[in-house]
Amino acid sequence: MLVTAILRRAGIKVNPVRELAPGIKSRARMEKMRPAASRGTFSNGVNGNNPWDITVHDSRFYREVLTRGSLGLGESYMNGWWDCPNLDEFFSRVLSANLDRYSWFNPIELLRYAKRVLFNQASAKHAFVIAKAHYDLGNDLYQGMLDKRLTYTCAYWREGVTTLDAAQEAKLDLVCRKLNLKPGQRVLDIGCGWGSFAKFAAERYKVSVVGITVAREQVELGRQLCQGLPVELRLQDYRGLSGQFDHIVSLGMFEHVEPKNYPEYFRVAAHCLKPGGLFLLHTIGVEKGKSTTDPWIRKYIFPVGTIPSRPEINGGIRNIFQVLDWHDFAGLHYDRTLMAWYENFMKNWPALTNNYALREDGHFKRMWEYYLLSCAGSFRAGKNSVFQIVLAPGMRAYQPVR
């Protein structure tokens, strides 16, 4: 749990909440409990002088974090109970020190886990609800945060690239080159967003693209942006797909599929892929273990969102696709992308205030800051990566492209 950072700074070992919570009523009480030998054992501090130290404004912060873990940490930030000059670096240091591995029995989180296992929260009937909670917040928000093409996935900061616009175009071009797109081919984009890939591929590689998304606002604006090009954007769930395509791409959508749906997702893709075609999957991922989601992110940002692990992806494609190339982006690509989004968001916040300042009980701005910066810190610490996987129905010769 991230709360361990606070406990270590206070010289308190991680013990069950029921033993700690009753005696911790203020920061002064916590200071009295600190053994002198333990001072300075952790570089993140409370009310310290480093830009990654946190300043506590409300003593309720301690009990909130102790009893509710990362959910309490995020909500107390939204409430203004604590601040940090470099929130991204705070998370990077906490996670680099592996403090998130400490936890205690939390029945609320156990129930949430059971719910994910027993019920399909990413079923077709829930898909459009998920979109409304995040992607349909408002096109002006994303226009103020993203690049000029509205690409809501990790950019590719190859050598010499210095701007977000250029880095996103480098990523889109990399995808096209990995698929070896040829003029006249027909491409399917699963989770097309506002049509950034579709527009780029149609303009630069002279292909036609069918893109699907479950976000109504994305479709409406995307159709305007792609007007005059051989691009069709549909409001549709992937389970309703039919037809044949030369190639398939899915950029940043797989995180919403949920592990129990992976086999069906890949079967649908295989059914739509022509013989000789390639499927490129671009997703956030982790190397080991089972899929994970931070409880605060799940409650406030992505109601259904799970970071898949390499073994889970391999399990989903078994007997359906063969892996021709597995490109593991360094987490720093997404770190830099998120920081660019944060800078754009902050720069354009005055223009967004009228539409968003009162949302989430007036906490929208702090919520969105926390989202972008905590995720940047996670990638900086190497907790998450980005996978670009080239798949085919059977093994064949393939030259990796970088």
Side-chain angles (χ1 to χ4, degrees), residues 178-195:
K178 285 184 175 183
L179 292 173
N180 193 25
L181 294 186
K182 302 295 183 185
Q185 289 183 329
R186 189 168 183 247
V187 181
L188 172 64
D189 184 356
I190 303 176
C192 63
W194 293 271

Side-chain angles (χ1 to χ4, degrees), residues 7 12 20-27 29-30 33 59 62-63 66:
L7 298 178
I12 303 171
L20 285 173
I24 299 177
K25 297 182 179 179
S26 67
R27 170 158 169 76
R29 180 60 183 261
M30 291 182 77
M33 297 170 67
S59 61
Y62 298 104
R63 184 177 294 274
L66 282 168

Side-chain angles (χ1 to χ4, degrees), residues 230-381:
V231 171
E232 179 188 356
L233 301 185
R234 304 173 182 170
L235 188 66
Q236 181 180 3
D237 181 70
Y238 71 89
R239 279 158 284 220
L241 280 167
S242 61
Q244 292 279 287
F245 300 85
D246 295 291
H247 302 292
I248 301 174
V249 64
S250 184
L251 308 178
M253 175 272 185
F254 190 68
E255 296 89 333
H256 299 299
V257 173
E258 295 282 336
K260 65 173 57 182
N261 297 319
Y262 291 171
E264 180 182 14
Y265 173 86
F266 287 115
R267 282 194 296 269
V268 169
H271 180 74
C272 292
L273 189 61
K274 289 182 180 180
L278 298 175
F279 175 26
L280 187 143
L281 178 68
H282 173 116
T283 180
I284 299 171
V286 294
E287 283 294 330
K288 299 177 181 178
K290 294 185 177 181
S291 53
T292 59
T293 303
D294 177 82
W296 184 88
I297 291 288
R298 180 173 284 269
K299 180 175 180 179
Y300 288 98
I301 307 300
F302 298 112
V304 175
T306 301
I307 298 174
S309 68
R310 184 186 288 256
E312 288 174 322
I313 296 172
N314 281 326
I317 65 176
R318 187 176 293 120
N319 300 322
I320 302 172
F321 283 110
Q322 296 290 330
V323 176
L324 303 185
D325 181 41
W326 194 302
H327 184 183
D328 189 346
F329 278 37
L332 294 180
H333 285 277
Y334 222 146
D335 174 16
R336 195 169 174 182
T337 302
L338 284 155
M339 293 307 296
W341 290 346
Y342 170 73
E343 291 171 8
N344 286 345
F345 172 71
M346 295 301 289
K347 179 179 67 176
N348 293 307
W349 175 249
L352 298 169
T353 301
N354 287 341
N355 288 338
Y356 298 94
L358 298 180
R359 297 194 189 189
E360 297 296 334
D361 296 324
H363 299 150
F364 184 89
K365 182 172 179 285
R366 291 181 68 87
M367 179 190 78
W368 211 253
E369 289 175 18
Y370 191 89
Y371 155 50
L372 296 173
L373 295 177
S374 63
C375 288
S378 177
F379 282 101
R380 193 176 308 164

Side-chain angles (χ1 to χ4, degrees), residues 18-82:
R18 62 179 180 273
E19 295 180 16
L20 285 173
I24 299 177
K25 297 182 179 179
S26 67
R27 170 158 169 76
R29 180 60 183 261
M30 291 182 77
E31 288 298 320
K32 290 180 182 179
M33 297 170 67
R34 295 180 67 208
S38 70
R39 290 170 185 161
T41 56
F42 181 65
S43 60
N44 276 52
V46 177
N47 297 331
N49 297 317
N50 296 311
W52 52 81
D53 291 332
I54 71 173
T55 299
V56 176
H57 307 299
D58 191 314
S59 61
R60 287 177 293 177
F61 160 81
Y62 298 104
R63 184 177 294 274
E64 185 74 4
V65 177
L66 282 168
T67 57
R68 303 181 68 223
S70 63
L71 184 59
L73 185 68
E75 290 186 347
S76 61
Y77 182 84
M78 289 169 62
N79 290 332
W81 295 355
W82 64 280

Side-chain angles (χ1 to χ4, degrees), residues 1-292:
M1 279 285 186
L2 299 179
V3 67
T4 308
I6 300 162
L7 298 178
R8 286 286 300 275
R9 179 69 177 93
I12 303 171
K13 293 181 179 179
V14 179
N15 294 311
V17 176
R18 62 179 180 273
E19 295 180 16
L20 285 173
I24 299 177
K25 297 182 179 179
S26 67
R27 170 158 169 76
R29 180 60 183 261
M30 291 182 77
E31 288 298 320
K32 290 180 182 179
M33 297 170 67
R34 295 180 67 208
S38 70
R39 290 170 185 161
T41 56
F42 181 65
S43 60
N44 276 52
V46 177
N47 297 331
N49 297 317
N50 296 311
W52 52 81
D53 291 332
I54 71 173
T55 299
V56 176
H57 307 299
D58 191 314
S59 61
R60 287 177 293 177
F61 160 81
Y62 298 104
R63 184 177 294 274
E64 185 74 4
V65 177
L66 282 168
T67 57
R68 303 181 68 223
S70 63
L71 184 59
L73 185 68
E75 290 186 347
S76 61
Y77 182 84
M78 289 169 62
N79 290 332
W81 295 355
W82 64 280
D83 275 302
C84 179
N86 283 19
L87 191 59
D88 51 307
E89 189 60 21
F90 165 78
F91 276 101
S92 175
R93 287 171 177 266
V94 166
L95 295 171
S96 292
N98 293 316
L99 296 182
D100 57 317
R101 74 180 185 270
Y102 296 102
S103 62
W104 45 78
F105 176 72
N106 186 331
I108 295 176
E109 282 310 303
L110 183 62
L111 287 173
R112 286 197 181 103
Y113 176 76
K115 184 178 178 182
R116 292 198 296 272
V117 171
L118 296 174
F119 303 100
N120 189 352
Q121 298 181 81
S123 64
K125 68 179 181 180
H126 288 130
F128 292 88
V129 175
I130 299 164
K132 189 173 182 61
H134 186 82
Y135 297 102
D136 283 341
L137 283 173
N139 286 328
D140 57 337
L141 171 64
Y142 297 105
Q143 287 171 315
M145 183 180 84
L146 305 177
D147 65 302
K148 65 182 181 182
R149 290 182 177 273
L150 296 181
T151 312
Y152 199 11
T153 52
C154 178
Y156 188 44
W157 299 87
R158 58 186 172 90
E159 188 175 355
V161 171
T162 59
T163 68
L164 179 61
D165 286 343
Q168 289 292 15
E169 288 204 354
K171 188 270 301 299
L172 296 174
D173 190 64
L174 178 66
V175 170
C176 293
R177 289 187 289 117
K178 285 184 175 183
L179 292 173
N180 193 25
L181 294 186
K182 302 295 183 185
Q185 289 183 329
R186 189 168 183 247
V187 181
L188 172 64
D189 184 356
I190 303 176
C192 63
W194 293 271
S196 61
F197 168 80
K199 188 172 188 289
F200 181 90
E203 289 175 335
R204 301 285 180 90
Y205 286 83
K206 310 304 178 186
V207 298
S208 64
V209 183
V210 172
I212 65 164
T213 176
V214 292
R216 187 173 301 277
E217 291 213 13
Q218 288 185 334
V219 166
E220 291 175 356
L221 178 57
R223 286 171 177 168
Q224 297 175 32
L225 296 174
C226 295
Q227 200 166 18
L229 293 169
V231 171
E232 179 188 356
L233 301 185
R234 304 173 182 170
L235 188 66
Q236 181 180 3
D237 181 70
Y238 71 89
R239 279 158 284 220
L241 280 167
S242 61
Q244 292 279 287
F245 300 85
D246 295 291
H247 302 292
I248 301 174
V249 64
S250 184
L251 308 178
M253 175 272 185
F254 190 68
E255 296 89 333
H256 299 299
V257 173
E258 295 282 336
K260 65 173 57 182
N261 297 319
Y262 291 171
E264 180 182 14
Y265 173 86
F266 287 115
R267 282 194 296 269
V268 169
H271 180 74
C272 292
L273 189 61
K274 289 182 180 180
L278 298 175
F279 175 26
L280 187 143
L281 178 68
H282 173 116
T283 180
I284 299 171
V286 294
E287 283 294 330
K288 299 177 181 178
K290 294 185 177 181
S291 53
T292 59

